[in-house]
Amino acid sequence: DVQPRETCGDHWKRWKPWLIKNYLVLGFVFVIVLALSWPLPGRELGSQKSGDFPIAQTCCIVVIFFISGLTLKTADIKKALGQPAALAYGIIAILLVTPMMGFVMVQIPFEPVEFRYGLALFACVPTTLTSGVTLVTSALGNGVMALMLTVTTNILGVFTVPFILNAVLLSAPGGDSGGTDTDMAETAGKLLLKLIISIIIPMGVGKATREFVEQAPSFTTKYKTELGLTNNSCLIAIVWMSISNSRGKLVRESALNIFVIVVAGVLLHLFFLTMNWVMTTAVMKIPEAERRAVLLMTSQKTLPVAVTIIAYLDEARWGAKGLIAIPCIVGHVSQLFIDAYIASIWAGQDPKEIDERNAAKRAGVGAEEAESKAERGASSEARVGVAAAGGEVKA
């Protein structure tokens, strides 16, 4: 029998799921090559400003967070409040504990200096907006908990990150040159205002649209994939413009410097995973589904907020934005691959079964301790009886 020839449509059906799944990574590879080989379009588009706001980057940022608000479900937020201890730890770890690594990153003598600023910035931002929730869900974790951590920390992070980041950058060798405490507060205040305008307001408008426009929920359900691809496209566009603008400096960097920052990004994520594993597993003993959500979300950092902040940084003071963006991209891609591998392992392990085994172990240990206490009590009573008998004999 003659086998029918595959058409273009057949090839597209086979490759479409893979392309969608890897769209962000493929997009980064494409725009990095484009920016390095032909930087003019990205540089020209990214250089247009209105006041302190880069027009094209700000438009992309607004679209990203409008869609984030549009897809945000109130019911999901309410469900996550059932584990307050896990939620509280997640918020504290994301907004306060992990950003402290920024103070370490800016002291490491990476070359060029923008690489240390980029990695420190990446440590300071909140958790991922979309990829984290997706990975937690695929790992059979509590997706609602992941979503709650995403929403809470990215909203609160708008108010905390500017001040923590400013302190981190000023702690770098030479970072405080030419600046005062007043300058620090003013810079942080300006960044806070820009993040409110470009993140909080669009997200609020998106959420209001979902609540008050009747067709919005069904629209987001029907076009979930397209909305996700739009978000990723805007993120890719911001990175393209940043790297195009810094192409001259980037091509002068040695392969060794690039390799070192890649290794540093991987090690930073592995450190976060180890620290949060100890807290969620050994210390807090959080139920398995919630543990998976908290562990992944507290170890990840968001690229959209990072590139938003980079777009508003003073290039004359902190260096080329494209170079600062490189460690953030490396950190984002490395955490995607590492956590995707972890999620694939967890996907074959039912959280309920693990909780049952852990409960059985704890019950077994409890029974052993109770039995041991009973034996010690009986032994003690026996010694008391022997002593009393000896006293009677002497009498």
Side-chain angles (χ1 to χ4, degrees):
D1 294 339
V2 178
Q3 295 293 331
R5 296 182 61 183
E6 290 189 342
T7 64
C8 292
D10 295 328
H11 289 295
W12 172 245
K13 287 180 181 178
R14 185 190 310 128
W15 284 98
K16 181 180 178 180
W18 184 86
L19 291 171
I20 291 175
K21 181 181 179 181
N22 297 281
Y23 180 77
L24 188 61
V25 175
L26 294 172
F28 284 151
V29 172
F30 173 74
V31 297
I32 289 173
V33 172
L34 177 63
L36 295 179
S37 58
W38 188 33
L40 181 62
R43 184 171 62 236
E44 289 300 313
L45 185 61
S47 63
Q48 307 303 314
K49 287 189 174 183
S50 176
D52 289 337
F53 289 86
I55 297 173
Q57 288 98 321
T58 301
C59 289
C60 290
I61 293 164
V62 168
V63 170
I64 289 171
F65 290 99
F66 172 78
I67 292 176
S68 298
L70 187 65
T71 55
L72 182 60
K73 300 177 183 178
T74 305
D76 289 342
I77 298 175
K78 292 179 179 178
K79 290 179 183 177
L81 297 176
Q83 290 286 338
L87 184 62
Y89 170 74
I91 293 172
I92 293 170
I94 292 166
L95 295 181
L96 297 177
V97 179
T98 53
M100 294 301 103
M101 280 301 294
F103 289 101
V104 178
M105 294 297 106
V106 292
Q107 303 303 323
I108 301 176
F110 296 120
E111 291 294 339
V113 69
E114 287 92 341
F115 281 1
R116 70 176 73 171
Y117 296 152
L119 204 56
L121 186 158
F122 194 63
C124 292
V125 296
T127 190
T128 48
L129 290 168
T130 54
S131 58
V133 177
T134 303
L135 286 171
V136 168
T137 304
S138 66
L140 305 183
N142 188 329
V144 175
M145 174 66 73
L147 181 63
M148 188 64 181
L149 287 172
T150 295
V151 174
T152 305
T153 59
N154 277 277
I155 291 176
L156 295 178
V158 170
F159 302 95
T160 61
V161 170
F163 299 97
I164 294 176
L165 177 62
N166 227 29
V168 166
L169 294 180
L170 291 175
S171 72
D176 59 350
S177 59
T180 64
D181 290 341
T182 304
D183 295 333
M184 175 181 173
E186 183 180 352
T187 302
K190 287 181 178 179
L191 181 57
L192 172 61
L193 178 61
K194 290 174 180 177
L195 294 183
I196 290 174
I197 293 172
S198 58
I199 294 179
I200 295 294
I201 293 178
M203 185 178 284
V205 172
K207 178 60 178 168
T209 302
R210 181 180 182 87
E211 296 299 323
F212 298 109
V213 177
E214 185 178 351
Q215 295 83 2
S218 59
F219 176 84
T220 57
T221 301
K222 182 178 180 180
Y223 295 103
K224 180 180 179 180
T225 300
E226 288 79 2
L227 290 172
L229 292 176
T230 301
N231 254 7
N232 289 341
S233 297
C234 290
L235 189 56
I236 291 167
I238 296 172
V239 171
W240 168 55
M241 287 180 275
S242 296
I243 294 179
S244 295
N245 191 52
S246 306
R247 184 257 184 194
K249 292 184 177 181
L250 187 58
V251 295
R252 288 195 294 269
E253 293 306 317
S254 68
L256 178 61
N257 287 343
I258 302 293
F259 175 76
V260 168
I261 202 63
V262 169
V263 173
V266 171
L267 291 177
L268 179 64
H269 184 59
L270 291 177
F271 173 78
F272 287 157
L273 282 171
T274 303
M275 178 187 71
N276 291 311
W277 181 88
V278 171
M279 288 301 300
T280 58
T281 307
V283 178
M284 298 182 68
K285 296 181 174 62
I286 298 173
E288 183 64 17
E290 288 71 30
R291 185 188 74 87
R292 294 178 183 183
V294 175
L295 175 55
L296 289 183
M297 300 307 292
T298 52
S299 302
Q300 292 190 357
K301 294 295 178 177
T302 174
L303 185 59
V305 174
V307 295
T308 299
I309 294 172
I310 291 171
Y312 296 140
L313 286 178
D314 182 0
E315 201 162 26
R317 184 172 186 182
W318 302 114
K321 295 178 182 179
L323 294 180
I324 297 174
I326 292 298
C328 299
I329 296 171
V330 167
H332 178 78
V333 173
S334 64
Q335 71 186 14
L336 279 180
F337 282 109
I338 293 170
D339 293 353
Y341 174 72
I342 295 173
S344 67
I345 295 174
W346 281 345
Q349 303 171 0
D350 189 347
K352 292 182 179 179
E353 293 180 0
I354 294 176
D355 285 334
E356 290 171 359
R357 286 200 299 269
N358 291 337
K361 288 180 182 178
R362 286 193 292 268
V365 171
E368 289 177 3
E369 289 179 352
E371 185 177 345
S372 177
K373 287 180 181 179
E375 289 177 355
R376 288 196 299 269
S379 177
S380 177
E381 289 177 0
R383 286 196 298 272
V384 171
V386 169
E392 289 175 2
V393 169
K394 287 180 181 179

